[in-house]
Amino acid sequence: MSRFWTDRIASLDPYVPGEQPQDKKYIKLNTNESPYPPSPKAIAAMQAEVGERLRLYPDPNGQMLKNALADAYGLQANQVFVGNGSDEVLALAFMGYFVGDKPLAFADITYSFYKVYANLYGITPNIIPLNDDFDIVPSDYDNLDVSGVVVTNPNAPTGKALPLSDIEHILNANQDVVVLVDEAYVDFGAQSAATLVNQYPNLLVVQTMSKSRALAGIRVGYALGHPDLIEGLERLKNSFNSYPIDRIALVGATAAVQDAEYLAEICDKTIATREWTVAELEKLGFVVLPSATNFVFVTHPERDAESLYLSLKEQGILVRYFGKKPRIGDYLRITIGTDEEMAALIAAL
Ligand SMILES: *Cc1c(COP(=O)(O)O)cnc(C)c1O
């Protein structure tokens, strides 16, 4: 608290990221980072970019990355927006499309940054609870009077995915507002709504390089949507920060997007390790929600989640515990690491 703080600063409720402790080396299963390195082609491209050219600003438009993403998703470059992590893309989308008199619809259990942005921009949340099985019920999104809808697919921290037909249901029921589908984890086993972009002018698909492409450290995210929606985001971005993607990130992200084979390889490995981990956790009596992501959301009928979290931490393994919150206070979210890391987790449990 400072006497210079305005009411606006004092009223904020900032996002709390998962721990990134610097004190000792943990097995980090708490922030859904990839246990694998980025594509070797991405690393080579970034290394080659370090040099004399760094005195120059990057391409403000990030065109090479937009072209690569457009190719990868079968779209045109003017249907692609790129930003400094998908968090920044979300921040701009919220500011641009969801500020208004009406509330914004999203689930009670979902990515906690949505509430933070809503608070930052004075957007009232219209919270739509997941059902008792932690599923999004598409018909709950019918007949809303909202500024927009945010759906996370697969959802976090539950890990559960919706089929595209359910996403289409929500899009059709909300044709006058933007429906943002946050697909941070889609490569680990869900269907992407990127294939619907040409059909639905109200659809904005947001993805990230941080999870499946193993590039959390360079901060690149993107949105796919109708050219008019994308142009709106460009107008905002160019009123805020014209160079969100630096030269190193630009070449690294572009090379990673062009290396589809490597993406498939590390996603397949993660999925195989996930299936092994689920079976082992179930043998230990955990209840594991079906996951289409690089994490599992688990609870144990006889063990307290907080003590498990603390005891694992003592043993050098970090998982995510969200505190004594309603509905998820008995759950842990565990990132899928390498086979060795997951064997260590099972042994510790
Ligand atoms: C990790 C995550 C993001 C943010 O990703 P960045 O691109 O690293 O900012 C956005 N949405 C969800 C649901 C996530 O889990």
Side-chain angles (χ1 to χ4, degrees), residues 28 50-51 89-90 93 95 98 102 142 146 157 176 218 241 252 272 298 337 345:
K28 268 193 94 272
V50 176
V89 176
L90 292 169
M95 181 172 18
F98 302 144
K102 294 179 180 177
D142 295 351
V146 292
D176 293 333
I218 64 170
N241 175 9
V298 307
L345 169 85

Side-chain angles (χ1 to χ4, degrees), residues 97-98 141 147-151 167 170-182 200-206 224 229:
Y97 291 115
F98 302 144
Y141 292 75
S147 65
V149 177
V150 179
V151 179
I167 298 290
I170 295 171
L171 283 161
N172 283 319
N174 293 278
Q175 293 180 26
D176 293 333
V177 295
V178 170
V179 175
L180 189 157
V181 184
D182 184 344
Y200 293 92
N202 60 330
L203 168 62
L204 200 59
V205 176
V206 176
L224 311 171
L229 285 189

Side-chain angles (χ1 to χ4, degrees), residues 266-300:
I266 63 176
C267 288
D268 287 350
K269 279 207 271 190
T270 301
I271 292 166
T273 307
R274 180 181 75 208
E275 299 318 306
W276 180 85
T277 306
V278 169
E280 292 297 314
L281 286 168
E282 285 174 346
K283 281 188 215 162
L284 293 172
F286 283 92
V287 176
V288 186
L289 267 60
S291 170
T293 63
N294 67 339
F295 59 84
V296 285
F297 199 50
V298 307
T299 187
H300 197 289

Side-chain angles (χ1 to χ4, degrees), residues 20-301:
Q20 299 286 2
Q22 314 291 330
D23 56 330
K24 67 171 186 181
K25 211 168 151 21
Y26 286 94
I27 295 182
K28 268 193 94 272
L29 307 177
N30 69 327
T31 51
N32 299 342
E33 290 146 321
S34 175
Y36 302 111
S39 155
K41 291 176 183 161
I43 295 177
M46 290 188 281
Q47 281 169 338
E49 188 63 23
V50 176
E52 179 275 331
R53 271 194 308 268
L54 291 181
R55 70 193 167 78
L56 300 171
Y57 282 108
D59 172 9
N61 200 30
Q63 197 61 45
M64 61 161 27
L65 177 56
K66 287 182 179 171
N67 293 343
L69 286 164
D71 274 355
Y73 294 97
L75 297 168
Q76 303 297 313
N78 66 355
Q79 295 173 293
V80 182
F81 178 78
V82 293
N84 187 255
S86 62
D87 285 340
E88 186 187 71
V89 176
L90 292 169
L92 292 171
F94 273 55
M95 181 172 18
Y97 291 115
F98 302 144
V99 172
D101 300 333
K102 294 179 180 177
L104 171 66
F106 55 90
D108 59 339
I109 297 162
T110 188
Y111 188 38
S112 54
F113 227 134
Y114 307 147
K115 254 193 188 149
V116 175
Y117 291 134
N119 179 248
L120 172 66
Y121 297 129
I123 299 166
T124 308
N126 178 348
I127 301 290
I128 304 190
L130 304 181
N131 71 9
D132 290 344
D133 296 327
F134 289 120
D135 286 317
I136 292 170
V137 180
S139 58
D140 289 350
Y141 292 75
D142 295 351
N143 307 312
L144 298 174
D145 188 23
V146 292
S147 65
V149 177
V150 179
V151 179
T152 316
N153 192 39
N155 198 7
T158 65
K160 287 187 125 180
L162 284 180
L164 270 196
S165 52
D166 285 353
I167 298 290
E168 287 202 79
H169 179 112
I170 295 171
L171 283 161
N172 283 319
N174 293 278
Q175 293 180 26
D176 293 333
V177 295
V178 170
V179 175
L180 189 157
V181 184
D182 184 344
E183 295 188 337
Y185 301 101
V186 76
D187 296 327
F188 298 107
Q191 297 170 284
S192 174
T195 55
L196 302 177
V197 159
N198 284 323
Q199 259 167 283
Y200 293 92
N202 60 330
L203 168 62
L204 200 59
V205 176
V206 176
Q207 293 195 6
T208 174
M209 311 288 298
S210 299
K211 314 299 182 10
S212 57
R213 290 194 179 89
L215 283 168
I218 64 170
R219 314 302 306 123
V220 177
Y222 50 97
L224 311 171
H226 188 282
D228 294 347
L229 285 189
I230 298 302
E231 189 187 342
L233 291 176
E234 295 291 347
R235 287 169 67 88
L236 272 172
K237 170 243 172 202
N238 290 320
S239 307
F240 182 73
N241 175 9
S242 17
Y243 302 104
I245 313 227
D246 65 69
R247 282 181 169 272
I248 296 169
L250 199 52
V251 295
T254 302
V257 170
Q258 288 168 341
D259 197 349
E261 207 177 315
Y262 185 79
L263 170 70
E265 182 191 321
I266 63 176
C267 288
D268 287 350
K269 279 207 271 190
T270 301
I271 292 166
T273 307
R274 180 181 75 208
E275 299 318 306
W276 180 85
T277 306
V278 169
E280 292 297 314
L281 286 168
E282 285 174 346
K283 281 188 215 162
L284 293 172
F286 283 92
V287 176
V288 186
L289 267 60
S291 170
T293 63
N294 67 339
F295 59 84
V296 285
F297 199 50
V298 307
T299 187
H300 197 289

Side-chain angles (χ1 to χ4, degrees), residues 109 134 157 297 305 321-332:
I109 297 162
F134 289 120
F297 199 50
Y321 173 63
F322 292 95
K324 293 250 171 283
K325 291 200 180 143
R327 299 192 74 181
I328 61 171
D330 290 330
Y331 283 79
L332 296 174

